[in-house]
C-alpha cells in the first residue's frame, strides 16, 4: 500500500518543482532580482520595449514633459531615467545612448552616450537648428544584460523664428568654486553661487511672468540647484553625479529670478543651463560651466 502513495508523492513534488521554476523565470535566474540602485524611478515619457527587458527608461525635457516647443537656435536639457522594469528601483552606472529619430531642424545633441548616476539618470543637451520649422525627435535607448532593448523619446517642435527677448545670466562664462565639506554627519553648504537671471524685450523693458527653468546638463561634483535660503539635502555631498531635479521660477515685476547653485562634495565640472519659456515656447537659453576644485 505504501508504493502507490510514494509514487503519488514523487509526482506532486515534481509538479511543484516545475511550477517553482516557471515562477522564477526558468533556469537563467530569477527575473524578480533587483538590478543596481534603490528608490523609486521618476515618470516622464512612456517606455517602449523590444523583447522582455529587465530595464525601463523614460525621457523628459527639462521641466518635466515629453514634448516641448522651442525657438530655433535655443537649447534645453533632456533627462533619461533608467529603472528596474519589475521593481521600479533606479539603476546606476547603466549606459544610455541618445540619437535622433527625426532631425528636421538640423539640431544637435552634445552627448550621444552617458552612464546613469546614482539616481538612475543621464542627460544630454539638445540645441535646435535653424534649417526649418518641424518636429525633432530624440530617442534614448538602454540595453539589458540579455541584449533586450528599451527606448523612450521626446518630441521638440522647432519654431523657425527669431526671439525678441534677451536673457542675461550673472555671473556667467566659466566659473570656479570649491567643493562643500563633509564633517561626520554634518554637511555644510557654504560653497554656493547665487545667479541672477534677467529677461528683457527688444526695447530693453523687463518682462515679468515668464517661466525660467534651471537644469543640470552634467553634475560631476554631485551638485544641486535650489532657491534661497537653500536647505541642506541629506546625502547630496557624497552621492554619485546627479542631473536632477530641475528648478522652475517665474520672473518677477523686474524680470528677474534668483536660483542658486550649490557645489557637491568632490571635484568635477558641472554645466547649468537656463531656459526661458513664453507661451509654451523656449525663447532664450544660456549655459554656465562651473569647475569645482
Amino acid at each position: 500500500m505504501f508504493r502507490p502513495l510514494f509514487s503519488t508523492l514523487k509526482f506532486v513534488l515534481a509538479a511543484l518543482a516545475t511550477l517553482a521554476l516557471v515562477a522564477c523565470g526558468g533556469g537563467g535566474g530569477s527575473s524578480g532580482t533587483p538590478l543596481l540602485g534603490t528608490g523609486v524611478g521618476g515618470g516622464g515619457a512612456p517606455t517602449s520595449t523590444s523583447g522582455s527587458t529587465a530595464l525601463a527608461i523614460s525621457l523628459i525635457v527639462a521641466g518635466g514633459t515629453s514634448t516641448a516647443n522651442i525657438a530655433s537656435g535655443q537649447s534645453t536639457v533632456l533627462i533619461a531615467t533608467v529603472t528596474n522594469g519589475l521593481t521600479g528601483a533606479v539603476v546606476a552606472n547603466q549606459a544610455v545612448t541618445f540619437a535622433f529619430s527625426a532631425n528636421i531642424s538640423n539640431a544637435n545633441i552634445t552627448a550621444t552616450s552617458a552612464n546613469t548616476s546614482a539616481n538612475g539618470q543621464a542627460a544630454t543637451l539638445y540645441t535646435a537648428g535653424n534649417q526649418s520649422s518641424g518636429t525633432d525627435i530624440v530617442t534614448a535607448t538602454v540595453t539589458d544584460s540579455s541584449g533586450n532593448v528599451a527606448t523612450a523619446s521626446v518630441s521638440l517642435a522647432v519654431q523657425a523664428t527669431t526671439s525678441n527677448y534677451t536673457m542675461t545670466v550673472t555671473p556667467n562664462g566659466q566659473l570656479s568654486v570649491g567643493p562643500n565639506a563633509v564633517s561626520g554627519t554634518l554637511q555644510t553648504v557654504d560653497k554656493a553661487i547665487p545667479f541672477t537671471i534677467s529677461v528683457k524685450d527688444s526695447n530693453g523693458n523687463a518682462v515679468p511672468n515668464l517661466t525660467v527653468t534651471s537644469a543640470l546638463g552634467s553634475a560631476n561634483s554631485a551638485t544641486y540647484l535650489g532657491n534661497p535660503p537653500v536647505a541642506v539635502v541629506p546625502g547630496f555631498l557624497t552621492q554619485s553625479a546627479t542631473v536632477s531635479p530641475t528648478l522652475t521660477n517665474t520672473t518677477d515685476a523686474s524680470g528677474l529670478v534668483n536660483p542658486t547653485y550649490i557645489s557637491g562634495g568632490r571635484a568635477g565640472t558641472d554645466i547649468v543651463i537656463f531656459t526661458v519659456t513664453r507661451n509654451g515656447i523656449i525663447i532664450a537659453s544660456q549655459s554656465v560651466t562651473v569647475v569645482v576644485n
Side-chain angles (χ1 to χ4, degrees), residues 193-206:
I193 300 175
F195 285 100
T196 298
I197 314 298
S198 172
V199 183
K200 296 182 179 181
D201 62 20
S202 57
N203 295 317
N205 299 313

Side-chain angles (χ1 to χ4, degrees), residues 2-290:
F2 293 103
R3 188 178 300 276
L5 177 60
F6 178 71
S7 299
T8 301
L9 286 173
K10 287 176 63 179
F11 175 79
V12 172
L13 291 173
L16 289 174
T18 300
L19 288 173
L21 183 61
V22 172
C24 290
S30 172
S31 60
T33 302
L35 301 179
L36 295 175
T38 59
V40 178
T47 299
S48 61
T49 61
S50 173
S52 177
T53 177
L55 301 177
I57 188 169
S58 65
L59 184 64
I60 59 173
V61 180
T65 65
S66 59
T67 61
N69 298 312
I70 185 168
S72 56
Q74 303 305 319
S75 302
T76 187
V77 176
L78 309 181
I79 302 170
T81 302
V82 179
T83 57
N84 182 301
L86 295 176
T87 67
V90 296
V91 181
N93 200 32
Q94 175 66 48
V96 176
T97 60
F98 299 95
F100 284 102
S101 298
N103 190 356
I104 305 301
S105 76
N106 195 29
N108 69 76
I109 50 178
T110 57
T112 56
S113 64
N115 287 340
T116 55
S117 61
N119 63 349
Q121 294 184 321
T124 190
L125 180 66
Y126 162 92
T127 301
N130 296 293
Q131 184 164 304
S132 63
S133 297
T135 299
D136 296 336
I137 300 174
V138 178
T139 299
T141 302
V142 66
T143 305
D144 68 14
S145 58
S146 298
N148 298 311
V149 174
T151 64
S153 299
V154 293
S155 298
L156 301 117
V158 180
Q159 315 291 319
T161 58
T162 301
S163 174
N164 293 320
Y165 297 85
T166 59
M167 173 177 60
T168 302
V169 178
T170 307
N172 57 29
Q174 180 169 303
L175 310 176
S176 180
V177 68
N180 278 293
V182 178
S183 177
T185 58
L186 300 177
Q187 299 179 350
T188 61
V189 290
D190 57 318
K191 304 299 190 299
I193 300 175
F195 285 100
T196 298
I197 314 298
S198 172
V199 183
K200 296 182 179 181
D201 62 20
S202 57
N203 295 317
N205 299 313
V207 185
N209 302 317
L210 296 181
T211 300
V212 178
T213 300
S214 309
L216 295 166
S218 67
N220 295 308
S221 78
T223 179
Y224 76 97
L225 302 170
N227 291 314
V230 177
V232 174
V233 176
F236 90 94
L237 294 177
T238 55
Q239 69 185 359
S240 297
T242 176
V243 294
S244 73
T246 58
L247 184 67
T248 301
N249 299 105
T250 302
T251 54
D252 61 17
S254 299
L256 303 176
V257 298
N258 299 103
T260 297
Y261 160 96
I262 300 93
S263 67
R266 61 166 179 265
T269 300
D270 302 329
I271 298 175
V272 187
I273 181 167
F274 305 98
T275 60
V276 179
T277 304
R278 179 178 182 272
N279 295 331
I281 301 175
I282 296 173
I283 57 172
S285 59
Q286 186 172 332
S287 64
V288 173
T289 299
V290 181

